[in-house]
Amino acid sequence: MAEQGDAVSATEIATSSVINDISAENKIKAEKFKDDGNDCFKKGHYSEAVGQYSLAIEWNPNVAAYYGNRSFAYLREEMFGSALEDATKAIKLDPRYLKGYYRRAAARMALGRLKQALADFETVVKRAPADQDAKLKFNECQKLYNKKQFEWAIHSEEKQISIFESINPETITVEDSYTGPRLVDGKVTLDFMQQLIPYFKDQKVLHRRYVTEMLVKIREQLVKTASMVEVTVPETSKFTVCGDIHGQYYDLCNIFALNGMPSEENPYLFNGDFVDRGSFSIECMMTLFGFKLLYPNHFFLARGNHETDNMNSIYGFRGEVKAKYSDQMYDIFTEVFNLLPLSHLINRKVLVMHGGLFSKPDVTLDDVKNIERNRQPPDSGLMSEILWSDPQEQLGLRPSKRGVAYEFGPDVTANFCSLNNIDYIIRSHEVKPEGYEVNHSGKCITVFSAPNYCDTIGNLGAFINFTGKDLTPKFVTFAAVPHPNVAAMSYASSMFRMLGG
């Protein structure tokens, strides 16, 4: 990439902080760690790459590229806050380091700060006018910014009308050539589900008439649901909690093979992030919605941070729905996602949510139950935190590396559990090598159910079993199973490529 263009400003020079007494030996050590980080990155081991780049920075904090590389690894981990911070540090060290502007623009875009991202891409274009990739990304960002501005203006001037007021599934004709599963009188039956699963496994598409009918029915069901659903598990009954599945349909089917098909005797809770990244998100979503319609009191779904428009527009769900159906169908899904519950309380002793706990120390279960959820998540507050927060081992709170919500320590968890008289929390949201992790003296459990995440990470998946009488979690781990030759992120948007994908 050419590094030419306008002169560096005095302000930029003044904000650059350089340590001058780095020995040649330390510089060599730093380069070795940087090279090791690059090797980890190429293998898709982004967390390990972050560690190696961090060691490089410890030995020589003067090199902008070390921060730029770590920013790139943070982007791949969706740690957008840390990616933004590192990119800014790289720019301060070397205002001519154009990759720093690329990385910062990517982080800002992921955080929805399109105007600031546009300014960074504009800087790259000015300083490297021959860089065609920079021009392409600047133009794409400009289009996205203009689109969002237009949508904001429309929504500000008009009361938003539900798309469900303008759709009627009965007007959608089912062609004679269609040979797939059919709803009878708009109802999901066990026979329908038994046909649907192998039909999806064969990479066939459910007719849009039936997808629309199911979405209308699931909306009718969810609109009556509280933001926190209370679930009673009988003493002798087994209950299963699953974490993120991220469009990995064949691994979802494997969960059912290992743990039994959903039924009134075999209830499940799937804890958000059903879509994005994996390229079979429609299949996952319609299978889960089907079981929710079939067993409304024994099959539960919680919203994750990826059941949101910003994430869906980047990481593939929007593109997949558009490819398999239409833009209008995506809008229908978006309205349904807005109504998904944010948490589940099991036997009044275990709280399950996608992300984590809160920045305020006095949040009660009633507060959680009363969160206004029928919207896109705001930048801050209870809804944002329950979808985005992560645990940390140090005490207290600190802003999340993701750039949204917080990281909360064992004292925060202990206080929340004591205040609300619960035993522990279950959350998802983070890939774990073994598919699960127990933190905070057993009071905070993470479960992640997408093995070999994005076809690259190599992690196991896991789910949790317990009974109503004994709420002690029992972990079942499993490896990924083969899937058709459609790679993860196949439907990701041009915005993802702008994030460095």
Short mmCIF file of all heavy atoms in Angstrom, two decimals, residues 299-350:
data_model
loop_
_atom_site.label_atom_id
_atom_site.label_comp_id
_atom_site.label_asym_id
_atom_site.label_seq_id
_atom_site.Cartn_x
_atom_site.Cartn_y
_atom_site.Cartn_z
N PHE A 299 -39.91 -25.39 25.05
CA PHE A 299 -38.80 -25.03 24.15
C PHE A 299 -38.67 -23.52 24.20
O PHE A 299 -39.63 -22.79 23.93
CB PHE A 299 -39.08 -25.50 22.72
CG PHE A 299 -37.87 -25.52 21.84
CD1 PHE A 299 -37.03 -26.63 21.80
CD2 PHE A 299 -37.55 -24.43 21.04
CE1 PHE A 299 -35.90 -26.65 20.99
CE2 PHE A 299 -36.43 -24.44 20.23
CZ PHE A 299 -35.61 -25.56 20.20
N PHE A 300 -37.46 -23.04 24.54
CA PHE A 300 -37.29 -21.63 24.86
C PHE A 300 -36.13 -21.03 24.06
O PHE A 300 -35.11 -21.68 23.83
CB PHE A 300 -37.04 -21.46 26.36
CG PHE A 300 -38.13 -22.06 27.20
CD1 PHE A 300 -38.01 -23.36 27.69
CD2 PHE A 300 -39.28 -21.34 27.49
CE1 PHE A 300 -39.02 -23.93 28.46
CE2 PHE A 300 -40.29 -21.89 28.27
CZ PHE A 300 -40.16 -23.19 28.75
N LEU A 301 -36.32 -19.78 23.67
CA LEU A 301 -35.32 -19.07 22.87
C LEU A 301 -35.08 -17.69 23.48
O LEU A 301 -36.02 -16.97 23.81
CB LEU A 301 -35.82 -18.88 21.42
CG LEU A 301 -36.16 -20.16 20.65
CD1 LEU A 301 -36.82 -19.79 19.32
CD2 LEU A 301 -34.91 -21.00 20.41
N ALA A 302 -33.81 -17.33 23.63
CA ALA A 302 -33.44 -16.00 24.13
C ALA A 302 -32.71 -15.23 23.04
O ALA A 302 -32.02 -15.82 22.19
CB ALA A 302 -32.55 -16.13 25.37
N ARG A 303 -32.83 -13.94 23.07
CA ARG A 303 -32.15 -13.10 22.09
C ARG A 303 -30.67 -12.98 22.43
O ARG A 303 -30.29 -12.88 23.58
CB ARG A 303 -32.78 -11.71 22.09
CG ARG A 303 -32.34 -10.80 20.94
CD ARG A 303 -33.09 -9.48 21.01
NE ARG A 303 -32.87 -8.65 19.83
CZ ARG A 303 -33.46 -7.48 19.62
NH1 ARG A 303 -34.30 -7.00 20.53
NH2 ARG A 303 -33.21 -6.79 18.51
N GLY A 304 -29.84 -13.00 21.39
CA GLY A 304 -28.42 -12.74 21.55
C GLY A 304 -28.05 -11.42 20.89
O GLY A 304 -28.88 -10.77 20.25
N ASN A 305 -26.81 -11.01 21.03
CA ASN A 305 -26.39 -9.76 20.40
C ASN A 305 -26.36 -9.87 18.88
O ASN A 305 -26.32 -8.85 18.17
CB ASN A 305 -25.01 -9.33 20.91
CG ASN A 305 -23.90 -10.26 20.49
OD1 ASN A 305 -23.94 -11.46 20.81
ND2 ASN A 305 -22.91 -9.76 19.78
N HIS A 306 -26.43 -11.10 18.34
CA HIS A 306 -26.47 -11.26 16.88
C HIS A 306 -27.89 -11.35 16.33
O HIS A 306 -28.05 -11.45 15.11
CB HIS A 306 -25.66 -12.48 16.45
CG HIS A 306 -24.21 -12.18 16.27
ND1 HIS A 306 -23.66 -11.85 15.06
CD2 HIS A 306 -23.20 -12.13 17.16
CE1 HIS A 306 -22.37 -11.62 15.20
NE2 HIS A 306 -22.06 -11.78 16.47
N GLU A 307 -28.90 -11.28 17.18
CA GLU A 307 -30.26 -11.15 16.68
C GLU A 307 -30.60 -9.65 16.61
O GLU A 307 -31.59 -9.19 17.15
CB GLU A 307 -31.25 -11.92 17.56
CG GLU A 307 -31.30 -13.40 17.27
CD GLU A 307 -30.02 -14.13 17.71
OE1 GLU A 307 -29.68 -14.07 18.90
OE2 GLU A 307 -29.37 -14.76 16.84
N THR A 308 -29.72 -8.92 15.95
CA THR A 308 -29.83 -7.47 15.83
C THR A 308 -29.43 -7.06 14.42
O THR A 308 -28.62 -7.72 13.76
CB THR A 308 -28.93 -6.75 16.85
OG1 THR A 308 -27.58 -7.15 16.66
CG2 THR A 308 -29.35 -7.07 18.28
N ASP A 309 -29.97 -5.95 13.97
CA ASP A 309 -29.77 -5.52 12.59
C ASP A 309 -28.31 -5.20 12.29
O ASP A 309 -27.80 -5.55 11.22
CB ASP A 309 -30.66 -4.31 12.29
CG ASP A 309 -30.51 -3.83 10.87
OD1 ASP A 309 -30.71 -4.63 9.93
OD2 ASP A 309 -30.17 -2.64 10.67
N ASN A 310 -27.63 -4.54 13.22
CA ASN A 310 -26.25 -4.16 12.96
C ASN A 310 -25.37 -5.38 12.72
O ASN A 310 -24.58 -5.44 11.77
CB ASN A 310 -25.70 -3.33 14.13
CG ASN A 310 -24.38 -2.65 13.78
OD1 ASN A 310 -24.21 -2.14 12.68
ND2 ASN A 310 -23.45 -2.64 14.72
N MET A 311 -25.50 -6.40 13.58
CA MET A 311 -24.72 -7.62 13.41
C MET A 311 -25.15 -8.39 12.17
O MET A 311 -24.31 -8.89 11.40
CB MET A 311 -24.87 -8.50 14.65
CG MET A 311 -24.26 -7.95 15.92
SD MET A 311 -22.44 -7.87 15.90
CE MET A 311 -22.18 -6.13 15.57
N ASN A 312 -26.47 -8.51 11.95
CA ASN A 312 -26.97 -9.26 10.80
C ASN A 312 -26.54 -8.64 9.48
O ASN A 312 -26.35 -9.34 8.48
CB ASN A 312 -28.49 -9.34 10.83
CG ASN A 312 -29.05 -10.12 11.99
OD1 ASN A 312 -30.22 -9.98 12.34
ND2 ASN A 312 -28.23 -10.94 12.65
N SER A 313 -26.39 -7.31 9.47
CA SER A 313 -25.98 -6.62 8.25
C SER A 313 -24.51 -6.84 7.93
O SER A 313 -24.09 -6.66 6.79
CB SER A 313 -26.26 -5.12 8.38
OG SER A 313 -27.65 -4.88 8.49
N ILE A 314 -23.72 -7.22 8.93
CA ILE A 314 -22.29 -7.44 8.73
C ILE A 314 -21.98 -8.92 8.53
O ILE A 314 -21.30 -9.31 7.57
CB ILE A 314 -21.48 -6.92 9.94
CG1 ILE A 314 -21.67 -5.42 10.13
CG2 ILE A 314 -19.99 -7.25 9.77
CD1 ILE A 314 -21.05 -4.88 11.42
N TYR A 315 -22.49 -9.78 9.41
CA TYR A 315 -21.97 -11.13 9.57
C TYR A 315 -22.75 -12.23 8.85
O TYR A 315 -22.51 -13.40 9.09
CB TYR A 315 -21.82 -11.46 11.05
CG TYR A 315 -20.71 -10.65 11.69
CD1 TYR A 315 -21.00 -9.54 12.48
CD2 TYR A 315 -19.38 -10.95 11.46
CE1 TYR A 315 -19.99 -8.78 13.04
CE2 TYR A 315 -18.36 -10.20 12.02
CZ TYR A 315 -18.68 -9.11 12.82
OH TYR A 315 -17.67 -8.37 13.36
N GLY A 316 -23.69 -11.85 7.98
CA GLY A 316 -24.19 -12.86 7.05
C GLY A 316 -25.67 -13.13 7.03
O GLY A 316 -26.18 -13.58 6.00
N PHE A 317 -26.40 -12.93 8.14
CA PHE A 317 -27.80 -13.34 8.12
C PHE A 317 -28.61 -12.55 7.10
O PHE A 317 -29.41 -13.12 6.35
CB PHE A 317 -28.42 -13.22 9.51
CG PHE A 317 -29.84 -13.74 9.57
CD1 PHE A 317 -30.11 -15.08 9.30
CD2 PHE A 317 -30.89 -12.90 9.89
CE1 PHE A 317 -31.41 -15.57 9.35
CE2 PHE A 317 -32.19 -13.38 9.95
CZ PHE A 317 -32.45 -14.72 9.67
N ARG A 318 -28.38 -11.26 7.05
CA ARG A 318 -29.12 -10.45 6.08
C ARG A 318 -28.84 -10.92 4.65
O ARG A 318 -29.75 -11.08 3.84
CB ARG A 318 -28.78 -8.98 6.24
CG ARG A 318 -29.58 -8.06 5.32
CD ARG A 318 -29.37 -6.59 5.62
NE ARG A 318 -30.41 -5.77 5.02
CZ ARG A 318 -30.73 -4.56 5.42
NH1 ARG A 318 -30.11 -4.02 6.46
NH2 ARG A 318 -31.67 -3.87 4.81
N GLY A 319 -27.57 -11.15 4.36
CA GLY A 319 -27.22 -11.62 3.02
C GLY A 319 -27.80 -12.97 2.71
O GLY A 319 -28.23 -13.24 1.57
N GLU A 320 -27.83 -13.86 3.70
CA GLU A 320 -28.39 -15.20 3.49
C GLU A 320 -29.89 -15.14 3.22
O GLU A 320 -30.40 -15.81 2.32
CB GLU A 320 -28.10 -16.08 4.70
CG GLU A 320 -28.60 -17.51 4.52
CD GLU A 320 -28.30 -18.39 5.72
OE1 GLU A 320 -27.42 -18.03 6.52
OE2 GLU A 320 -28.96 -19.44 5.86
N VAL A 321 -30.61 -14.34 4.02
CA VAL A 321 -32.06 -14.23 3.81
C VAL A 321 -32.35 -13.63 2.44
O VAL A 321 -33.25 -14.07 1.72
CB VAL A 321 -32.71 -13.39 4.93
CG1 VAL A 321 -34.21 -13.22 4.66
CG2 VAL A 321 -32.51 -14.05 6.28
N LYS A 322 -31.58 -12.62 2.06
CA LYS A 322 -31.76 -12.00 0.75
C LYS A 322 -31.50 -13.01 -0.37
O LYS A 322 -32.21 -13.05 -1.38
CB LYS A 322 -30.85 -10.79 0.61
CG LYS A 322 -31.02 -10.03 -0.69
CD LYS A 322 -30.14 -8.79 -0.74
CE LYS A 322 -30.32 -8.03 -2.05
NZ LYS A 322 -29.48 -6.81 -2.09
N ALA A 323 -30.46 -13.84 -0.20
CA ALA A 323 -30.11 -14.81 -1.24
C ALA A 323 -31.16 -15.92 -1.36
O ALA A 323 -31.48 -16.37 -2.46
CB ALA A 323 -28.74 -15.42 -0.94
N LYS A 324 -31.70 -16.35 -0.22
CA LYS A 324 -32.64 -17.48 -0.24
C LYS A 324 -34.09 -17.04 -0.36
O LYS A 324 -34.94 -17.82 -0.80
CB LYS A 324 -32.44 -18.32 1.03
CG LYS A 324 -31.07 -18.98 1.09
CD LYS A 324 -30.85 -19.77 2.37
CE LYS A 324 -29.46 -20.41 2.40
NZ LYS A 324 -29.20 -21.15 3.65
N TYR A 325 -34.37 -15.79 0.06
CA TYR A 325 -35.75 -15.28 0.01
C TYR A 325 -35.78 -13.85 -0.54
O TYR A 325 -35.74 -13.67 -1.75
CB TYR A 325 -36.41 -15.37 1.40
CG TYR A 325 -36.58 -16.81 1.85
CD1 TYR A 325 -35.70 -17.37 2.78
CD2 TYR A 325 -37.60 -17.59 1.34
CE1 TYR A 325 -35.85 -18.69 3.18
CE2 TYR A 325 -37.76 -18.91 1.74
CZ TYR A 325 -36.88 -19.46 2.65
OH TYR A 325 -37.03 -20.76 3.04
N SER A 326 -35.80 -12.84 0.34
CA SER A 326 -35.94 -11.46 -0.14
C SER A 326 -35.60 -10.48 0.98
O SER A 326 -35.52 -10.85 2.15
CB SER A 326 -37.38 -11.20 -0.60
OG SER A 326 -38.27 -11.29 0.50
N ASP A 327 -35.46 -9.20 0.61
CA ASP A 327 -35.26 -8.16 1.61
C ASP A 327 -36.45 -8.05 2.54
O ASP A 327 -36.30 -7.82 3.74
CB ASP A 327 -35.03 -6.80 0.92
CG ASP A 327 -33.62 -6.65 0.38
OD1 ASP A 327 -32.69 -7.24 0.97
OD2 ASP A 327 -33.43 -5.96 -0.63
N GLN A 328 -37.66 -8.22 2.00
CA GLN A 328 -38.85 -8.14 2.85
C GLN A 328 -38.85 -9.24 3.90
O GLN A 328 -39.22 -9.00 5.06
CB GLN A 328 -40.13 -8.25 2.00
CG GLN A 328 -41.39 -8.05 2.85
CD GLN A 328 -42.65 -8.44 2.13
OE1 GLN A 328 -42.79 -9.56 1.63
NE2 GLN A 328 -43.60 -7.51 2.07
N MET A 329 -38.39 -10.43 3.53
CA MET A 329 -38.34 -11.51 4.50
C MET A 329 -37.37 -11.18 5.63
O MET A 329 -37.63 -11.49 6.80
CB MET A 329 -37.93 -12.81 3.83
CG MET A 329 -38.06 -14.04 4.72
SD MET A 329 -39.78 -14.47 5.05
CE MET A 329 -40.19 -15.36 3.53
N TYR A 330 -36.27 -10.52 5.29
CA TYR A 330 -35.33 -10.10 6.34
C TYR A 330 -36.00 -9.12 7.30
O TYR A 330 -35.82 -9.21 8.52
CB TYR A 330 -34.09 -9.45 5.73
CG TYR A 330 -33.18 -8.84 6.76
CD1 TYR A 330 -32.39 -9.64 7.59
CD2 TYR A 330 -33.15 -7.46 6.97
CE1 TYR A 330 -31.58 -9.08 8.57
CE2 TYR A 330 -32.35 -6.90 7.94
CZ TYR A 330 -31.57 -7.72 8.74
OH TYR A 330 -30.78 -7.16 9.72
N ASP A 331 -36.79 -8.20 6.78
CA ASP A 331 -37.49 -7.24 7.64
C ASP A 331 -38.46 -7.96 8.58
O ASP A 331 -38.64 -7.55 9.73
CB ASP A 331 -38.25 -6.22 6.79
CG ASP A 331 -37.32 -5.29 6.01
OD1 ASP A 331 -36.15 -5.14 6.44
OD2 ASP A 331 -37.76 -4.73 5.00
N ILE A 332 -39.07 -9.03 8.12
CA ILE A 332 -39.97 -9.81 8.96
C ILE A 332 -39.19 -10.46 10.10
O ILE A 332 -39.60 -10.41 11.27
CB ILE A 332 -40.72 -10.87 8.12
CG1 ILE A 332 -41.57 -10.21 7.05
CG2 ILE A 332 -41.60 -11.74 9.02
CD1 ILE A 332 -42.19 -11.20 6.06
N PHE A 333 -38.06 -11.08 9.76
CA PHE A 333 -37.21 -11.67 10.80
C PHE A 333 -36.79 -10.63 11.83
O PHE A 333 -36.79 -10.89 13.04
CB PHE A 333 -35.96 -12.30 10.17
CG PHE A 333 -36.13 -13.71 9.73
CD1 PHE A 333 -36.23 -14.03 8.38
CD2 PHE A 333 -36.17 -14.75 10.65
CE1 PHE A 333 -36.37 -15.35 7.97
CE2 PHE A 333 -36.32 -16.08 10.26
CZ PHE A 333 -36.42 -16.37 8.90
N THR A 334 -36.43 -9.43 11.37
CA THR A 334 -35.96 -8.39 12.28
C THR A 334 -37.03 -8.04 13.30
O THR A 334 -36.73 -7.89 14.49
CB THR A 334 -35.54 -7.14 11.48
OG1 THR A 334 -34.44 -7.47 10.63
CG2 THR A 334 -35.12 -6.01 12.40
N GLU A 335 -38.27 -7.92 12.86
CA GLU A 335 -39.35 -7.61 13.80
C GLU A 335 -39.55 -8.74 14.81
O GLU A 335 -39.82 -8.50 15.99
CB GLU A 335 -40.66 -7.34 13.06
CG GLU A 335 -40.73 -5.95 12.48
CD GLU A 335 -42.15 -5.47 12.27
OE1 GLU A 335 -43.03 -5.82 13.10
OE2 GLU A 335 -42.40 -4.77 11.27
N VAL A 336 -39.41 -9.98 14.36
CA VAL A 336 -39.55 -11.11 15.27
C VAL A 336 -38.40 -11.12 16.28
O VAL A 336 -38.61 -11.33 17.49
CB VAL A 336 -39.62 -12.43 14.49
CG1 VAL A 336 -39.56 -13.63 15.44
CG2 VAL A 336 -40.90 -12.49 13.66
N PHE A 337 -37.18 -10.89 15.82
CA PHE A 337 -36.02 -10.87 16.73
C PHE A 337 -36.21 -9.83 17.83
O PHE A 337 -35.80 -10.05 18.98
CB PHE A 337 -34.74 -10.56 15.95
CG PHE A 337 -34.22 -11.70 15.10
CD1 PHE A 337 -33.19 -11.48 14.19
CD2 PHE A 337 -34.75 -12.97 15.20
CE1 PHE A 337 -32.69 -12.51 13.41
CE2 PHE A 337 -34.27 -14.02 14.42
CZ PHE A 337 -33.25 -13.78 13.52
N ASN A 338 -36.83 -8.70 17.51
CA ASN A 338 -37.05 -7.67 18.51
C ASN A 338 -37.92 -8.14 19.67
O ASN A 338 -37.88 -7.56 20.76
CB ASN A 338 -37.71 -6.44 17.88
CG ASN A 338 -36.76 -5.62 17.04
OD1 ASN A 338 -35.56 -5.83 17.04
ND2 ASN A 338 -37.31 -4.68 16.28
N LEU A 339 -38.69 -9.19 19.44
CA LEU A 339 -39.63 -9.67 20.46
C LEU A 339 -39.09 -10.86 21.26
O LEU A 339 -39.74 -11.32 22.21
CB LEU A 339 -40.96 -10.06 19.81
CG LEU A 339 -41.78 -8.89 19.27
CD1 LEU A 339 -42.92 -9.40 18.39
CD2 LEU A 339 -42.33 -8.04 20.40
N LEU A 340 -37.93 -11.38 20.89
CA LEU A 340 -37.37 -12.50 21.65
C LEU A 340 -37.09 -12.09 23.09
O LEU A 340 -36.60 -11.00 23.35
CB LEU A 340 -36.07 -12.98 21.00
CG LEU A 340 -36.21 -13.78 19.70
CD1 LEU A 340 -34.85 -13.89 19.01
CD2 LEU A 340 -36.78 -15.18 19.98
N PRO A 341 -37.38 -12.97 24.06
CA PRO A 341 -37.05 -12.67 25.46
C PRO A 341 -35.54 -12.46 25.63
O PRO A 341 -34.73 -12.95 24.84
CB PRO A 341 -37.51 -13.92 26.22
CG PRO A 341 -38.49 -14.58 25.31
CD PRO A 341 -38.06 -14.26 23.91
N LEU A 342 -35.19 -11.74 26.68
CA LEU A 342 -33.79 -11.44 26.96
C LEU A 342 -33.19 -12.36 28.02
O LEU A 342 -31.96 -12.40 28.17
CB LEU A 342 -33.65 -9.99 27.43
CG LEU A 342 -34.11 -8.92 26.43
CD1 LEU A 342 -33.98 -7.54 27.06
CD2 LEU A 342 -33.33 -9.01 25.13
N SER A 343 -34.01 -13.09 28.75
CA SER A 343 -33.48 -13.96 29.80
C SER A 343 -34.54 -14.96 30.23
O SER A 343 -35.74 -14.81 29.93
CB SER A 343 -33.04 -13.13 31.02
OG SER A 343 -34.15 -12.43 31.57
N HIS A 344 -34.08 -16.01 30.94
CA HIS A 344 -34.95 -17.04 31.49
C HIS A 344 -34.52 -17.34 32.93
O HIS A 344 -33.32 -17.46 33.20
CB HIS A 344 -34.89 -18.32 30.65
CG HIS A 344 -35.50 -18.14 29.28
ND1 HIS A 344 -34.83 -17.50 28.26
CD2 HIS A 344 -36.70 -18.52 28.78
CE1 HIS A 344 -35.61 -17.48 27.17
NE2 HIS A 344 -36.73 -18.10 27.46
N LEU A 345 -35.49 -17.47 33.80
CA LEU A 345 -35.23 -17.78 35.21
C LEU A 345 -35.72 -19.19 35.48
O LEU A 345 -36.92 -19.47 35.40
CB LEU A 345 -35.96 -16.77 36.12
CG LEU A 345 -35.76 -16.95 37.63
CD1 LEU A 345 -34.29 -16.74 38.00
CD2 LEU A 345 -36.65 -15.98 38.40
N ILE A 346 -34.77 -20.10 35.77
CA ILE A 346 -35.09 -21.51 35.95
C ILE A 346 -35.35 -21.79 37.42
O ILE A 346 -34.46 -21.60 38.27
CB ILE A 346 -33.93 -22.41 35.44
CG1 ILE A 346 -33.47 -21.96 34.05
CG2 ILE A 346 -34.36 -23.87 35.46
CD1 ILE A 346 -34.50 -22.05 32.97
N ASN A 347 -36.57 -22.24 37.73
CA ASN A 347 -36.94 -22.60 39.11
C ASN A 347 -36.57 -21.52 40.11
O ASN A 347 -36.26 -21.81 41.27
CB ASN A 347 -36.32 -23.95 39.50
CG ASN A 347 -37.00 -25.12 38.82
OD1 ASN A 347 -37.89 -24.94 38.00
ND2 ASN A 347 -36.58 -26.33 39.13
N ARG A 348 -36.57 -20.29 39.64
CA ARG A 348 -36.27 -19.10 40.47
C ARG A 348 -34.88 -19.15 41.09
O ARG A 348 -34.58 -18.39 42.01
CB ARG A 348 -37.33 -18.91 41.56
CG ARG A 348 -38.73 -18.66 41.02
CD ARG A 348 -39.63 -18.00 42.04
NE ARG A 348 -39.11 -16.70 42.47
CZ ARG A 348 -39.26 -15.56 41.78
NH1 ARG A 348 -39.89 -15.57 40.62
NH2 ARG A 348 -38.77 -14.42 42.25
N LYS A 349 -33.98 -20.00 40.55
CA LYS A 349 -32.65 -20.16 41.14
C LYS A 349 -31.51 -19.97 40.14
O LYS A 349 -30.36 -19.77 40.54
CB LYS A 349 -32.53 -21.53 41.80
CG LYS A 349 -33.28 -21.65 43.13
CD LYS A 349 -32.70 -20.69 44.16
CE LYS A 349 -33.39 -20.74 45.49
NZ LYS A 349 -32.84 -19.76 46.46
N VAL A 350 -31.78 -20.07 38.86
CA VAL A 350 -30.73 -19.94 37.84
C VAL A 350 -31.21 -18.95 36.78
O VAL A 350 -32.25 -19.16 36.16
CB VAL A 350 -30.40 -21.29 37.18
CG1 VAL A 350 -29.30 -21.11 36.13
CG2 VAL A 350 -29.98 -22.31 38.22
#
